[in-house]
Amino acid sequence: MFALEVHNLRKEFFRRDATRTRGRKRRRRVAALEGVTFTMERGECVAILGQNGSGKSTLVRLLSTLLLPDGGSASIFGHDVVKESRPVQRLVNRVSVEASFFKKMSSEENLAYASRFYGMPPSATKTAIPEILERVGFPVGRRHEGMEHLSRGMQQKVALARALLTSPVLLLLDEPTTGLDPRSKLEVQDFIRDVWASHDATILLCTHDLREAEVLADRVGILDRGRLIALDSADVLKEEFEAETLEEAFFAATGRTFEDEKDEDAERGVFA
Ligand SMILES: Nc1ncnc2c1ncn2[C@@H]1O[C@H](COP(=O)(O)OP(=O)(O)O)[C@@H](O)[C@H]1O
Ligand SMILES: [Mg+2]
């Protein structure tokens, strides 16, 4: 059985447009994901590389049952994300850039809340919470401080700690290091590697950091304007696209430079 099986997955959004036709605002269709198909083995770490707007977060939200697809299917350890959302929610854990917390509550309280949701007994969380905070490099002495007083890097560590507290089987990491300072970034990457090695976790890592994809993942997927146009080990991708670096391979595959952070919507097949 695959840890993750995605078949022809589609998602589109409609958005109000500023331009008007006969006095009326037009609605634009944005195809966020188009026919995405791939599988992951248990224990694998797959990175999905894509620029802003390429569909990474949409993919992660569909897999974590936060969004419903418009077509195709996805299953996690054999459980359909639409029809069996409850077991899927127990198997996956999402860490996103915009990690959501109860801002007035402390990191410890947020973790305790999450552990209840996943059905952990309070006795087990009492020791587990400080332990896991320590492991992610969070200053344990600050675990009673409100989340709103913590830096982004620290909040990100708490988000990872929360994902790990409940021993996730499939970790969905949506740009876990974006916006972190270089040092926190390395710490978080080390930690991801550590967890992967010690937890028998399967990891889907969405990133727009080439190096992160290359050092952490078994296979790297290239998501471009909602389409998964390649998925292979970094070495095979380089060979396939006759590139020296992953960056060159990305360019060869998409026709666009990677660092370029402009909004993809302008180029995407968007229409009224
Ligand atoms: N809730 C939404 N409503 C309208 N459009 C959306 C919504 N979420 C995402 N999109 C659009 O879908 C596309 C993919 O977005 P997203 O999955 O967030 O990309 P990424 O995470 O790779 O930056 C973009 O064009 C984005 O503007
Ligand atoms: Mg995103």
Side-chain angles (χ1 to χ4, degrees):
M1 190 200 292
F2 288 112
L4 174 63
E5 200 165 359
V6 175
H7 185 70
N8 207 14
L9 203 59
R10 279 198 312 112
K11 181 72 192 176
E12 57 189 37
F13 293 106
F14 287 92
R15 273 205 317 218
R16 283 275 165 89
D17 201 347
T19 50
R20 291 168 183 265
T21 314
R22 277 175 247 111
R24 292 179 59 198
K25 277 197 177 166
R26 292 192 307 179
R27 289 211 315 159
R28 295 193 311 158
R29 192 180 75 101
V30 178
L33 285 183
E34 295 189 76
V36 170
T37 299
F38 69 103
T39 56
M40 279 178 70
E41 302 279 350
R42 179 175 196 136
E44 233 193 330
C45 177
V46 165
I48 302 288
L49 265 181
Q51 288 176 314
N52 284 332
S54 59
K56 301 181 299 297
S57 296
T58 301
L59 175 63
V60 164
R61 291 197 189 108
L62 286 168
L63 297 178
S64 48
T65 79
L66 295 170
L67 279 178
L68 290 171
D70 292 312
S73 62
S75 59
I76 287 161
F77 292 98
H79 298 283
D80 186 276
V81 296
V82 177
K83 296 188 209 104
E84 302 170 76
S85 56
R86 196 59 194 140
V88 167
Q89 286 159 9
R90 286 183 182 273
L91 289 166
V92 304
N93 245 317
R94 184 180 72 110
V95 177
S96 71
V97 200
E98 72 286 0
S100 56
F101 291 105
F102 298 103
K103 294 262 189 292
K104 301 273 174 205
M105 282 168 38
S106 68
S107 54
E108 185 173 75
E109 286 164 334
N110 272 284
L111 294 186
Y113 180 87
S115 63
R116 291 303 126 68
F117 177 80
Y118 284 90
M120 282 174 76
S123 58
T125 54
K126 209 167 175 171
T127 50
I129 289 172
E131 269 172 28
I132 199 116
L133 282 172
E134 189 164 6
R135 270 194 57 210
V136 297
F138 181 87
V140 181
R142 299 188 63 181
R143 71 182 191 277
H144 302 299
E145 260 177 62
M147 292 298 296
E148 60 189 354
H149 303 301
L150 304 175
S151 68
R152 276 255 310 121
M154 273 192 217
Q155 292 195 17
Q156 207 56 4
K157 286 173 184 171
V158 178
L160 277 167
R162 176 170 62 184
L164 294 167
L165 185 64
T166 52
S167 300
V169 186
L170 176 66
L171 258 181
L172 302 171
L173 304 178
D174 188 5
E175 300 197 28
T177 65
T178 297
L180 297 188
D181 60 84
R183 188 172 152 204
S184 297
K185 195 167 196 154
L186 287 179
E187 279 175 12
V188 167
Q189 288 169 350
D190 275 352
F191 182 67
I192 293 169
R193 199 181 290 114
D194 204 41
V195 165
W196 180 33
S198 60
H199 273 64
D200 182 31
T202 306
I203 301 180
L204 183 69
L205 168 72
C206 292
T207 180
H208 68 204
D209 185 321
L210 289 155
R211 214 193 78 86
E212 182 167 293
E214 189 152 19
V215 298
L216 290 177
D218 297 309
R219 287 188 296 155
V220 177
I222 296 176
L223 191 64
D224 187 49
R225 288 171 276 191
R227 294 178 185 277
L228 187 64
I229 56 178
L231 176 60
D232 233 312
S233 70
D235 286 340
V236 172
L237 287 180
K238 286 182 220 167
E239 225 170 275
E240 192 179 326
F241 293 102
E242 296 176 7
E244 293 275 312
T245 62
L246 197 54
E247 188 172 5
E248 282 174 26
F250 186 91
F251 180 72
T254 64
R256 291 174 314 146
T257 47
F258 190 74
E259 289 307 317
D260 171 14
E261 291 219 340
K262 68 175 173 283
D263 196 333
E264 282 202 347
D265 286 358
E267 297 173 49
R268 192 188 276 271
V270 177
F271 49 89

